[in-house]
Amino acid sequence: MKMPPWTILLAILLGYVCCKIVYRLTLHPLAKYPGPFLAKVTSLYSAYRGWHGDIHLDIVRCHSKYGVFVRYGPNRLMVNTSRGLHDVYGYGKNVRKSKSYLSMVPDKHAWSILTLIDKKTHLERRKVMSKALSDTALKSFEPEMLNHMDVFHEQVAVAEDSEGWSAPKNMSVLCMRLTFDIMCEFGFGQKTSLQTDRTLDFIPEVLKNYSWRMGIYEQYPKLARLNAEGFARILRIGNDLRDKFEEWSDRFSEVVMNRQDGLPKGQFGLIRDLKTSNGSFLPHEELLAEGSFLILAGSETTAITMSALFFYLANNQSIYDKLASEIRSTFSDISEVTSGEKLLSCSYLSACVTETLRICPPVPGIPWREVEDGGAIVDNHYITTGLNVGASMYSLHHNETYFPSPYKFDPSRWLDAEGTEKQKSLAYTAFNPFSLGPRGCAGRSMALLELNLLVARTLFCFDFRLASGRLATVGRGHSDKGGLRSRENEFQLFANITSYCEGPWIVFKRRGVAG
Ligand code: HEM
């Protein structure tokens, strides 16, 4: 009997897939490691988790079920120890950024500091970026940063009831607008007014969608080749938002890219005017990619941490009181609440910020690294060339070995107290919200400055608390949601390439207003 050609093709394809699955389960160098069955045979498993936004929770579940090393993709191994963390991300390790970052490179020349895989080119870029984000640059920008925070406070200051409390405010929305405006002026010298101009509300929405897509592609880069954006455009899905955003970003980049003297530059000017080793400027596509990444990197992450800080302070009265008392006794006028000795002396503030970054790391998933020629040792395990290794920040930050009662918001774990030194230094070995080593966050100081200043200035000028009724539940876990989303006192993260969050809804009252 003669078989039709398509049946033969199908049989060959099926045979190939079966062989691949058998290989991945038996002879593959990672075959001996435990993990979810589907994750061993296809990266679609983690892409599905990325699509759901609960990849960080699934990783915690997998480590508690399978142990320290878990196979989380056919070629991917994750580890949940501080030694593993430092072996993968520390300086001088035999790894580079994984090829999955390529899925975030839209065009041939559109690298950004985040996606650059080549170590030498990255180092050159990093030197310029470090200068752009140096303490000196931050200090000279601080007055503008404070202006943006004043606008933020004007928005929450309007009293709505007879006791002087404001209407409920959605912190994740207000914080994103604030950090976006700060980033655009710091990086590009542009005043974007997202805080006050409601016609620009499409921008955070577009950025959120973009991060969500990138989060999925990072897990399964082949999906990027399907060109979902192209199809969405043809099918006219989301075209309104996209058109508005493209129009806005074209206008924005026209000004930013203009090298004429006298135009506002911002710190990004240093990258724009950077000449490569052959004496030419970076290609236009690369500058655009770099600019977009900087806005995302600088705004989403910091906004999530700010929102989480409001959530945990409003939900923990004794911590709120202790912090308010520290701030109000350290400063005697709002003009004093700036960077410097007094702010640095607020040890409880610093502990609250650190604890928020621990319990709610804005990059909760795994920044994958690829092992280079010669292999690498990760927590005493030899890993072969070409495989991907990584550690999830959320999972490590909830590992009981380093953080007893990991789901409890407890700033005191970062304070000096007799008998706790050992536990505290152990905690620091696993604390990693900004990643570490050569690819660690270049904007750490900027983020910490924004976080400390916003909280200190808010508590100096205002009292705040959770909004009442249904709004008080936004952002928290719920028993109905089941599993790892059921913790009511945990601020819920939805992980993508960074993450997004909802709420909390907070009401404010200017201090000194009688009620
Ligand atoms: C709480 C706020 C922030 C957190 C938690 C955070 C976290 C991170 C993490 C985990 C990475 C490594 C990502 C990877 O390996 O794939 C990273 C990279 C980076 N971040 Fe941040 N970030 C924050 C704020 C900022 C800010 C305000 C900026 C300012 C522009 C910034 C600029 C960068 C840059 C340039 C890189 C790439 C570094 C490199 O590859 O050399 N970040 N960040």
Side-chain angles (χ1 to χ4, degrees), residues 405-437:
S405 309
Y407 292 93
K408 181 171 176 214
F409 183 73
D410 181 10
S412 73
R413 66 175 93 236
W414 302 104
L415 294 173
D416 293 325
E418 223 178 278
T420 61
E421 301 84 358
K422 217 168 148 202
Q423 188 60 46
K424 192 172 140 193
S425 33
L426 187 64
Y428 270 115
T429 62
F431 178 67
N432 184 45
F434 295 101
S435 193
L436 47 88

Side-chain angles (χ1 to χ4, degrees), residues 17-161:
V17 172
C18 288
C19 289
K20 212 161 175 175
I21 290 176
V22 171
Y23 167 73
R24 285 177 172 175
L25 292 174
T26 55
L27 298 172
H28 190 283
L30 293 184
K32 65 176 179 184
Y33 290 97
F37 175 80
L38 274 177
K40 291 177 185 177
V41 295
T42 171
S43 294
L44 282 170
Y45 173 84
S46 57
Y48 173 73
R49 290 290 165 200
W51 181 70
H52 254 275
D54 64 358
I55 192 164
H56 57 307
L57 301 175
D58 188 57
I59 290 171
V60 170
R61 184 190 67 79
C62 286
H63 278 304
S64 77
K65 180 169 179 187
Y66 300 107
V68 163
F69 282 94
V70 176
R71 190 177 180 191
Y72 206 64
N75 296 319
R76 288 177 162 176
L77 186 67
M78 57 190 192
V79 60
N80 198 29
T81 61
S82 66
R83 182 190 269 204
L85 169 79
H86 290 266
D87 283 346
V88 173
Y89 298 99
Y91 283 98
K93 303 298 173 188
N94 200 29
V95 300
R96 61 172 175 243
K97 280 222 158 172
S98 149
K99 289 195 192 71
S100 59
Y101 284 85
L102 287 175
S103 58
M104 294 174 229
V105 182
D107 292 310
K108 202 169 150 213
H109 291 293
W111 299 96
S112 72
I113 185 163
L114 180 84
T115 55
L116 275 168
I117 292 180
D118 180 66
K119 287 181 170 175
K120 195 165 157 266
T121 322
H122 170 262
L123 193 62
E124 284 166 10
R125 188 78 52 89
R126 176 77 188 216
K127 279 186 194 150
V128 184
M129 191 65 82
S130 300
K131 200 169 158 201
L133 287 156
S134 66
D135 289 349
T136 321
L138 282 176
K139 191 71 202 159
S140 68
F141 178 72
E142 194 173 318
E144 279 79 32
M145 189 186 276
L146 297 184
N147 285 341
H148 289 291
M149 290 185 184
D150 288 347
V151 177
F152 177 91
H153 287 134
E154 278 160 26
Q155 314 232 319
V156 301
V158 186
E160 280 277 318
D161 70 14

Side-chain angles (χ1 to χ4, degrees), residues 1-16:
M1 191 180 70
K2 205 172 158 207
M3 286 212 302
W6 63 265
T7 323
I8 299 174
L9 267 178
L10 201 67
I12 293 175
L13 192 70
L14 216 64
Y16 171 75

Side-chain angles (χ1 to χ4, degrees), residues 161 163 165 314 317 320 463-467 505-508:
D161 70 14
E163 291 184 358
W165 289 96
Q317 193 61 44
Y320 174 101
D463 287 314
F464 65 83
R465 64 179 190 213
L466 275 185
W505 286 79
I506 301 282
V507 290
F508 293 82

